[in-house]
Amino acid sequence: MNHKGLLIVISGFSGAGKGTLMKKLLEDYEQYALSISMTTRAPREGEVDGREYFFSTREQFEDKIKQGGFIEHAQYCGNYYGTPKDYVEKQLEAGKDVILEIEIQGAMKVKEQFPDAILLFVMPPSIAVLHQRLVGRGTETEEVINQRLQRAEEEAVGIEGYDYIIINDDLDTCVKELHELLTKTHEAIQTQYNPVNYEKLIENIRTELTSLVKGEK
Ligand code: 5GP
């Protein structure tokens, strides 16, 4: 499959600051489109259906799985989460760089289907900061916080499967560096797949080969 846009997967422990990072990246740069996932988890205070997530029942979610409506889906702490296919494909075709903010199982499934996808893992500067952020958020019960910390421990095993690790310390610096990294990746992929960029090189190789075959040198 040859899409114009870049597929970007961002994962990270709950509380690593992925959400804030993505929000700022989208505010500062126009070329990114954020995919909105579907989930069976209950909305948190302030979350709006169709903005943070498409909230659904387990039945609706399972129907969509059967219809092949997801690029990937996974279970996380007892709830379903999935990336709807339509939006992502449309945006990629339109040349947008599409961001999927998903957990590790989903990330690995995306990499299988889209080998050119770039996988980023966002880390907090320390585990103490991670804990503080989860508690400070004030939206989760202690039980949920513990579940998420346990999940973080499990996910830490798979970090090697990602292409880059992003340390989310200072937000502004992090967004800028992230954008630079993505721009470079975009250019590298375009160069890699676009023979026009290698015109001169290909021409030289052909000329040299012809000379060699003719025994000129
Ligand atoms: P939260 O409940 O905190 O919003 O999200 C829990 C986890 O689910 C996060 O790690 C988030 O990145 C992940 N997640 C959100 N949407 C999707 C999705 O569509 N697919 C997968 N695999 N994970 C998702």
Side-chain angles (χ1 to χ4, degrees):
M1 225 184 284
N2 201 3
H3 292 299
K4 283 183 271 168
L6 187 67
L7 192 55
I8 303 156
V9 174
I10 307 235
S11 304
F13 309 135
S14 183
K18 280 170 302 185
T20 323
L21 196 63
M22 289 311 100
K23 197 164 167 258
K24 182 100 175 78
L25 186 74
L26 287 155
E27 270 168 23
D28 291 0
Y29 306 96
E30 272 184 356
Q31 83 231 42
Y32 302 107
L34 184 66
S35 157
I36 302 170
S37 297
M38 188 178 265
T39 184
T40 56
R41 100 151 149 66
R44 289 187 191 124
E45 213 183 304
E47 284 185 336
V48 176
D49 187 39
R51 190 179 69 191
E52 279 79 13
Y53 283 104
F54 295 108
F55 295 100
S56 82
T57 61
R58 289 189 82 84
E59 242 187 345
Q60 286 167 333
F61 199 101
E62 284 168 358
D63 278 350
K64 203 170 165 82
I65 298 177
K66 281 189 207 131
Q67 289 157 16
F70 292 112
I71 286 185
E72 62 71 39
H73 69 273
Q75 298 231 23
Y76 178 94
C77 297
N79 285 302
Y80 276 127
Y81 292 82
T83 307
K85 213 181 240 175
D86 295 2
Y87 176 83
V88 173
E89 290 189 342
K90 259 188 220 138
Q91 295 295 323
L92 286 176
E93 287 301 336
K96 287 264 188 182
D97 292 339
V98 181
I99 300 175
L100 311 182
E101 194 198 312
I102 61 179
E103 52 63 76
I104 201 158
Q105 305 163 67
M108 296 306 137
K109 286 184 209 154
V110 170
K111 190 75 184 177
E112 274 171 32
Q113 285 177 66
F114 300 85
D116 285 342
I118 172 164
L119 268 58
L120 310 171
F121 198 92
V122 181
M123 294 251 236
S126 71
I127 291 303
V129 170
L130 180 79
H131 192 218
Q132 246 170 36
R133 283 186 189 159
L134 274 175
V135 175
R137 207 189 243 176
T139 52
E140 325 282 359
T141 60
E142 204 183 316
E143 193 195 337
V144 171
I145 293 173
N146 285 335
Q147 246 184 18
R148 285 176 179 237
L149 285 174
Q150 258 174 36
R151 181 63 191 225
E153 196 188 0
E154 284 165 29
E155 293 199 331
V157 176
I159 300 177
E160 283 89 345
Y162 285 76
D163 298 313
Y164 295 99
I165 288 179
I166 311 286
I167 309 280
N168 186 12
D169 196 349
D170 176 66
L171 182 65
D172 289 335
T173 318
C174 196
V175 168
K176 224 171 129 244
E177 284 175 2
L178 184 55
H179 174 66
E180 279 165 16
L181 171 69
L182 295 173
T183 308
K184 276 194 203 132
T185 310
H186 213 301
E187 283 164 5
I189 286 179
Q190 267 172 6
T191 309
Q192 198 179 329
Y193 293 123
N194 190 352
V196 170
N197 292 311
Y198 288 118
E199 224 164 27
K200 201 76 207 149
L201 176 79
I202 294 168
E203 200 185 303
N204 287 345
I205 283 180
R206 285 202 182 119
T207 315
E208 281 177 35
L209 273 174
T210 312
S211 312
L212 202 67
V213 169
K214 280 187 189 158
E216 284 172 3
K217 224 180 178 185

